[in-house]
Amino acid sequence: QPLRIAVAASLGLPLQEIVDSFARERVEKPTLVVASSGVLTAQITNGAHFALFISADTLYPHTLWQQQRTDGPPQVLAYGQLALWCRYPLENQDINVLLPGNQIKKIAIAQPQLAPFGKEAVRWLRAQRLYDTVWPKMVYGENVGQVNRLIQAGAVDAAFTAASARASSIGQKGYWQTLPQEGGIAHSMVVLKGLTAAERQTTQALLAYFRTPTARTILEKWGYLAP
Amino acid sequence: MTFSWEPLWLSFKLALVTTLVLLLIGLPLVYLLHFRRGRGQVIGQALISLPLVLPPTVLGYYLLVLMSPENGLGRWLDDWFGWRLVFSFPGLVIGSVIYSLPFMINPILSALEGVSTVYEEVAYTLGKSRLTTFVRVLLPMVRASVVVGAVMTFAHTIGEFGVILMIGGSIPGETRVASIAIYNEVEMLQYDAADRYALVLLLFSFVVLLGVYTYQNRRTARVI
Amino acid sequence: MTFSWEPLWLSFKLALVTTLVLLLIGLPLVYLLHFRRGRGQVIGQALISLPLVLPPTVLGYYLLVLMSPENGLGRWLDDWFGWRLVFSFPGLVIGSVIYSLPFMINPILSALEGVSTVYEEVAYTLGKSRLTTFVRVLLPMVRASVVVGAVMTFAHTIGEFGVILMIGGSIPGETRVASIAIYNEVEMLQYDAADRYALVLLLFSFVVLLGVYTYQNRRTARVI
Amino acid sequence: MEMRVTKALQGGDGHLTLDIALDLPPGSLTVLSGPSGAGKTSILRMWAGLLKPDAGTLRVNGDVWFDAAQRVNLPPQKRSVGLVFQEYALFPHLSVRENLAFAAGMETPLIDELLEVFQLTQLQARRPRRLSGGQQQRVALARALVRKPRLLLLDEPFAALDPELKDDVRQILRQLHQTWDLTTLLVSHDPLDAFWLADRAFQLQSGKCVEVPIPRTAYVVSTDAARQEMQVALEIQLRTLPLANDVPPPGTRLVWNGADSRQEKGSEDKPRDQPSRDDCEGGKLSFEQQQKRNDNDADVQ
Amino acid sequence: MEMRVTKALQGGDGHLTLDIALDLPPGSLTVLSGPSGAGKTSILRMWAGLLKPDAGTLRVNGDVWFDAAQRVNLPPQKRSVGLVFQEYALFPHLSVRENLAFAAGMETPLIDELLEVFQLTQLQARRPRRLSGGQQQRVALARALVRKPRLLLLDEPFAALDPELKDDVRQILRQLHQTWDLTTLLVSHDPLDAFWLADRAFQLQSGKCVEVPIPRTAYVVSTDAARQEMQVALEIQLRTLPLANDVPPPGTRLVWNGADSRQEKGSEDKPRDQPSRDDCEGGKLSFEQQQKRNDNDADVQ
Ligand SMILES: Nc1ncnc2c1ncn2[C@@H]1O[C@H](COP(=O)(O)OP(=O)(O)OP(=O)(O)O)[C@@H](O)[C@H]1O
Ligand SMILES: Nc1ncnc2c1ncn2[C@@H]1O[C@H](COP(=O)(O)OP(=O)(O)OP(=O)(O)O)[C@@H](O)[C@H]1O
Ligand code: MOO
Ligand SMILES: [Mg+2]
Ligand SMILES: [Mg+2]
């Protein structure tokens, strides 16, 4: 049975590419199970058999660690970057004027309570002192995946999402700007308990592979910062 | 986010409005499909159940594209009436109506097939139009199925999540209904709050369903 | 991950198995509810529609907890039979069956209310048991509603997402059905692949629905 | 009102083609009989617009109701017919009164009158399923009548009634038919329906309507010898006739056809116009066929 | 088989309490008549187990079918009854043949025989909705008979049949009743059913079953004078009797009760046992009431 890795949806594509290239060097090709971090956490808590859990944040892995379901503490795989998408050109405009303006009617954001990108967006808005004027325009997605879907449907005028989305088809749409923040959003992973010896071995090999230049290049290509 | 009554109230309002709207839209559709025999009826019936085969979020996405002010219908509504359906309560109602359409229509339509045509014929010889016959004779004869259609619409709308999330945007007090609130709690591993929402939904719906079926049973007993 | 027929085939298999299982379970339930008049029937009817009011993912979460080998029922099944329902195809079937129960049962039950009791009475005087009467007389008389129940179950299971996501875990070839595949593609911003899945689902289901209703219409025409 | 139509049906023994020429003079009451499966109900359904003839025409006082050549087919709603179905077909979800009110389209005093004459007043709040067969049949009749239709189509409307009630209902029908100047086509297996009610009678045989004579002969017992022989026969016969229970006292003269034979002196009889239950006190009897509205009959009387 | 029950019903005019004492000797055929809404159908339903009496007992050859005091109430399935409903109640989703096969529970040659005698063979593949009223009624009869039930319960089983068919069907029923040694309770408004078929006749009046005499008198036309007077009467009368169309040739002697009067010499008649259509070639006629299985009748013959 191939190794099964639980991956937060927003990291699905880069991980797929890394795993593919990993499989070219090794015999085993791990299987990715992609869902939102919260769903994966609930499944792990209820007996799902995964070798590795890669979350879009550090909170879920941390919870699992505290529950002693993991083999060691969370480690950071990559840092995500927050990006602002807008229907209208951003280059020459002051975002602080544009966002509260009449042109922008709806702004999509991931649920700040669940999604780290949402939380980060709120933090950024507060830092810019925009939050209080802008919040009535907000519509919420379950995660950045949903926010991206809203961008694609053309249902919103602006959106806070992951910079990695620029690498996909919606990168061609509208105008993008990566927002500066300290360090970015940590995407952490944990190795889970109850693995066979062979599974543990492959997992360790994969963890090591994440640190190789190939993997780092892939992560960066997709808009993440490798640690 | 902790427990609040607002999403529950919104869910109830949405379910009620959707059910009423579906009665208003669904019954005329049943009328058309029932009297339009043959190929038209078959295609109509198949089309009505079609939205069901799409995962709700996907259906929601397509509805979003349709209603988005960037595209055809949405822009037209925006330009002419200034209506924005996306991320608004009326938009939710539209989405729920489309999604629950088969639950309302199919049971009634199939029950009508079991009604002997002789009652239609009597009504016609009594000078009644098709419409009168439908409203005064056929529908009352399949009342149980109308009730079941309404009940399933109501319950399904209370529990609807994917479509609403997509086209509603989860705006607190406007489109964040109980199903979204409860899902968020689960995702946040806040199982206590989730349980509380779920319990309220279940209890409340159980009472509503019990009431409807008791009433329904009493009426039926009187008929037979 | 790109477009593959496997999730589509899995969805179809799941929908088919769920529909068959629901016919096997649902019809006996209809039997019990139909002949058990009064309070028992009312409570039973209300209970059946109850899962509907929970968002699918939340219902899925509770099923996950129930079936988890770490807790009561799941552990018991694991200890005694070595069955693991979570993240397995049989688990998906169980979840879909519970979720689609009202779609199968409600239309049939309400259609039965419209059947004159005289046919039951004739069958009894002909020495037929309740069961024979139900299977050979009542069910054939409400055939259209049985078909509608099966159609709605099938379509709804094809489109089912939340419950399956929770208890299925998206294992390729086993629990990654089309709705999950679409979700994954969307989350990974592979919108083309998602659209392709959706299109295949729609086309395929439209053909199935068209076939069922055509057959159904032809049979009805023969009856009347 | 004239019907000239053909219609292919699947008869009891293979194919059956109806080829009907049937005129219903306005104000007349026509009785149609014929074997089971001959197509009587189908003829009524064609009149009502519920069954489309294959060819031919259907004209009513100058209006064309159906014309195959000109593709005219007036829908049942526009035909102003009242049809009593063989199976009654009462609306199960409406009470007796509501069935009538729905048919009338409004509340009219006529509803109460009809309930009264058909002895349904006490049953008016009940649903049809809680009525006996004969009660249902009367409701069906009342429902068809409440609109005062131009053409009244009755499919064995007395089949579920006991002989005495049948007699009453015939009399009611006769009266209403006359008062409202209805045109009526009555399908019946009972020759007494023709005898008591009909202006003309048709028999449906192998797809054709053939006019048959209505028995209008007098039945006179005058000699004592014959009377004695008849006495026993009457016992049987009377049970099949509207006045069921009473055997006439010896010497009673029975008049069955009103044309030229008024009732003659019996032991203690008084002449009456209509047979009715009330007339039968103490064995008094009077038989007389109803005065027909046929002109040729009228001038004889 | 004896019924001693009471049952409160909602009658046509207020409350109606049935208080029934009705014995059906094994092998007998009993006719029950009474006004519309008197409770005849309700009595059949109580025999069949479809309506629960308020009090009393129902015993059949020693078995207790119902006993209010002992809380015994045998379900309809265990009673071996055949019930022809007033509204036929044929299964709409089954063809004529399937209706019979379902009732029989298996394929038996009896199905074909019954289809044959009731002239339904050509209709066997049709659904009930595509049958005429009379055809449906015959299917309902055949369906009730195909199980050879211990107790046959018939609710106006000939009401939708034309007189000639009615006569045929009566004869079939008489034969089967005798051959299979059935016990039959027949609800009917037609006195001729009692005349031709019954061993005993009851009238249901204000909730009670009262035995009434069956007409068994002979109708003999011997003198020429009487014959002439009768002639005209016969025209009417014959239409209401089983042999409808043929007026007997002058001088024919008509025998209506078989007890002691075999048919005497008519013009060119041969004695026959049963009236039937085939016997009526060239105006030859023979009337004779069926030989009853009543012992007191049998030893007279
Ligand atoms: N819906 C139908 N489809 C096809 N054939 C039919 C349909 N209804 C009746 N028939 C056939 O047409 C013939 C005429 O039927 P119809 O009902 O007119 O007879 P009827 O004279 O009224 O007989 P009855 O006295 O038994 O009621 C019958 O042989 C019957 O089997
Ligand atoms: N299901 C019922 N519930 C209540 N009352 C009923 C029900 N069925 C019949 N009745 C009433 O009981 C009385 C007897 O009905 P029943 O059907 O036995 O009469 P019947 O003698 O068969 O009359 P008919 O000759 O008209 O068929 C009627 O007055 C009727 O209104
Ligand atoms: O990938 Mo997230 O958890 O939606 O920010
Ligand atoms: Mg007929
Ligand atoms: Mg009755």
Side-chain angles (χ1 to χ4, degrees), chain D residues 18-300:
Chain D
L18 293 181
D19 180 5
I20 307 298
L22 180 60
D23 291 356
L24 307 178
S28 71
L29 194 154
T30 307
V31 164
L32 178 64
S33 57
S36 173
K40 304 178 294 297
T41 300
S42 303
I43 290 178
L44 292 190
R45 289 173 62 85
M46 287 191 285
W47 276 108
L50 298 173
L51 184 69
K52 203 177 148 193
D54 294 338
T57 57
L58 200 55
R59 278 176 227 278
V60 171
N61 311 348
D63 300 351
V64 179
W65 279 10
F66 177 82
D67 190 332
Q70 292 176 31
R71 302 240 167 132
V72 178
N73 188 9
L74 212 65
Q77 287 91 338
K78 302 211 172 138
R79 294 198 181 192
S80 180
V81 297
L83 175 51
V84 172
F85 286 74
Q86 211 167 354
E87 66 268 44
Y88 323 146
L90 301 177
F91 299 121
H93 61 294
L94 300 179
S95 70
V96 168
R97 190 192 182 83
E98 286 164 351
N99 262 279
L100 265 62
F102 176 69
M106 52 178 178
E107 271 296 323
T108 113
L110 189 56
I111 295 175
D112 289 305
E113 285 166 32
L114 284 171
L115 287 174
E116 188 64 37
V117 295
F118 285 116
Q119 301 169 37
L120 294 167
T121 310
Q122 291 214 294
L123 300 170
Q124 60 179 303
R126 282 214 218 155
R127 302 277 167 111
R129 281 186 211 174
R130 300 185 57 211
L131 297 180
S132 80
Q135 290 162 348
Q136 288 186 38
Q137 193 158 44
R138 281 174 278 154
V139 179
L141 250 169
R143 186 179 63 179
L145 283 166
V146 76
R147 290 177 71 223
K148 298 191 185 176
R150 222 159 139 187
L151 175 59
L152 188 61
L153 302 165
L154 308 174
D155 205 349
E156 307 191 27
F158 316 126
L161 305 179
D162 59 288
E164 316 201 353
L165 194 56
K166 208 177 264 190
D167 187 29
D168 283 358
V169 172
R170 276 199 195 104
Q171 201 180 326
I172 295 161
L173 187 67
R174 184 162 51 192
Q175 250 163 30
L176 295 181
H177 173 82
Q178 217 155 352
T179 328
W180 295 347
D181 196 31
L182 305 176
T183 308
T184 305
L185 179 57
L186 188 155
V187 165
S188 166
H189 291 314
D190 190 339
L192 287 172
D193 287 335
F195 179 77
W196 287 109
L197 294 174
D199 297 309
R200 288 155 3 120
F202 287 85
Q203 176 87 9
L204 188 58
Q205 285 286 7
S206 29
K208 296 235 193 299
C209 271
V210 186
E211 181 151 12
V212 290
I214 301 172
R216 295 192 191 281
T217 43
Y219 175 70
V220 186
V221 181
S222 48
T223 70
D224 239 42
R227 197 201 53 69
Q228 229 156 21
E229 283 197 336
M230 292 292 301
Q231 178 71 59
V232 282
L234 281 173
E235 255 182 43
I236 297 163
Q237 193 186 350
L238 283 174
R239 311 191 119 248
T240 74
L241 288 177
L243 296 202
N245 302 347
D246 308 78
V247 175
T252 305
R253 181 160 183 180
L254 303 174
V255 183
W256 273 17
N257 190 357
D260 53 353
S261 46
R262 296 238 78 180
Q263 189 190 356
E264 291 189 28
K265 191 76 204 81
S267 40
E268 62 251 282
D269 308 345
K270 291 169 294 180
R272 288 281 161 78
D273 243 35
Q274 301 287 346
S276 96
R277 200 134 320 20
D278 302 333
D279 292 343
C280 305
E281 301 146 287
K284 288 174 254 171
L285 271 177
S286 74
F287 284 84
E288 185 172 12
Q289 196 188 358
Q290 173 228 357
Q291 214 278 297
K292 302 283 170 174
R293 265 172 302 112
N294 279 12
D295 291 352
N296 48 334
D297 272 0
D299 59 3
V300 177

Side-chain angles (χ1 to χ4, degrees), chain E residues 55-260:
Chain E
T57 58
L58 201 54
R59 280 174 227 277
V60 171
N61 309 349
D63 300 351
V64 179
W65 280 9
F66 177 82
D67 190 332
Q70 292 177 30
R71 303 239 166 136
V72 178
N73 189 8
L74 212 64
Q77 286 92 338
K78 301 210 172 141
R79 295 198 181 192
S80 180
V81 297
L83 175 51
V84 173
F85 287 72
Q86 209 167 355
E87 66 267 45
Y88 324 146
L90 300 177
F91 299 121
H93 62 294
L94 299 178
S95 70
V96 169
R97 191 196 184 78
E98 287 163 350
N99 263 279
L100 265 61
F102 177 69
M106 53 179 179
E107 269 297 324
T108 115
L110 189 56
I111 295 175
D112 289 304
E113 286 167 31
L114 284 171
L115 288 175
E116 188 62 39
V117 295
F118 285 118
Q119 302 170 36
L120 296 166
T121 311
Q122 292 214 294
L123 301 170
Q124 58 179 303
R126 282 212 219 155
R127 301 276 168 114
R129 278 184 215 177
R130 302 184 54 211
L131 297 179
S132 79
Q135 290 162 347
Q136 288 185 38
Q137 191 158 46
R138 283 175 276 154
V139 178
L141 251 171
R143 186 178 64 177
L145 283 165
V146 76
R147 289 177 72 223
K148 298 193 185 177
R150 225 159 138 187
L151 176 59
L152 188 61
L153 302 166
L154 308 174
D155 205 349
E156 307 191 26
F158 316 127
L161 305 178
D162 58 289
E164 316 201 354
L165 194 57
K166 208 178 264 191
D167 188 28
D168 284 358
V169 171
R170 277 199 195 106
Q171 201 179 326
I172 294 161
L173 187 68
R174 183 160 55 189
Q175 252 163 27
L176 295 180
H177 173 82
Q178 218 154 355
T179 327
W180 295 347
D181 196 31
L182 306 176
T183 308
T184 305
L185 179 58
L186 189 156
V187 164
S188 166
H189 291 316
D190 190 340
L192 286 173
D193 287 334
F195 181 76
W196 289 107
L197 294 174
D199 297 308
R200 287 154 3 119
F202 287 83
Q203 177 87 10
L204 189 59
Q205 283 289 6
S206 31
K208 295 233 193 299
C209 270
V210 186
E211 183 152 9
V212 290
I214 300 172
R216 296 192 190 283
T217 42
Y219 174 70
V220 186
V221 181
S222 49
T223 71
D224 240 40
R227 198 200 55 68
Q228 230 158 19
E229 283 199 335
M230 292 292 300
Q231 180 70 60
V232 282
L234 280 174
E235 252 180 47
I236 297 164
Q237 190 184 354
L238 283 175
R239 313 191 116 248
T240 74
L241 288 177
L243 297 202
N245 303 347
D246 310 78
V247 175
T252 305
R253 181 160 182 180
L254 303 175
V255 182
W256 273 16
N257 188 357
D260 53 354

Side-chain angles (χ1 to χ4, degrees), chain C residues 2-145:
Chain C
T2 40
F3 184 85
S4 138
W5 289 99
E6 199 179 60
L8 292 163
W9 162 241
L10 256 184
S11 275
F12 173 73
K13 196 172 98 177
L14 178 64
L16 201 68
V17 171
T18 302
T19 308
L20 292 179
V21 170
L22 254 187
L23 282 171
L24 280 176
I25 300 179
L27 295 181
L29 258 171
V30 169
Y31 174 86
L32 287 177
L33 287 172
H34 178 66
F35 285 106
R36 182 181 185 78
R37 302 252 152 204
R39 189 155 293 281
Q41 193 196 26
V42 168
I43 293 177
Q45 276 185 294
L47 278 179
I48 279 172
S49 296
L50 215 50
L52 271 188
V53 306
L54 289 182
T57 31
V58 175
L59 178 67
Y61 171 71
Y62 289 122
L63 288 176
L64 179 68
V65 171
L66 199 72
M67 295 201 262
S68 148
E70 305 208 351
N71 302 308
L73 179 68
R75 181 188 294 167
W76 185 81
L77 287 174
D78 200 359
D79 289 353
W80 286 83
F81 303 97
W83 287 353
R84 284 237 178 167
L85 292 179
V86 276
F87 314 122
S88 73
F89 188 79
L92 289 196
V93 173
I94 292 179
S96 307
V97 162
I98 292 176
Y99 198 47
S100 288
L101 201 59
F103 304 137
M104 178 63 88
I105 287 190
N106 283 342
I108 306 178
L109 212 50
S110 63
L112 283 177
E113 304 221 330
V115 175
S116 165
T117 47
V118 79
Y119 298 105
E120 269 179 48
E121 293 180 344
V122 179
Y124 295 162
T125 64
L126 293 173
K128 306 300 178 188
S129 65
R130 272 191 176 180
L131 185 62
T132 310
T133 304
F134 181 70
V135 173
R136 304 272 314 271
V137 176
L138 298 180
L139 278 188
M141 287 182 74
V142 299
R143 191 170 11 81
S145 295

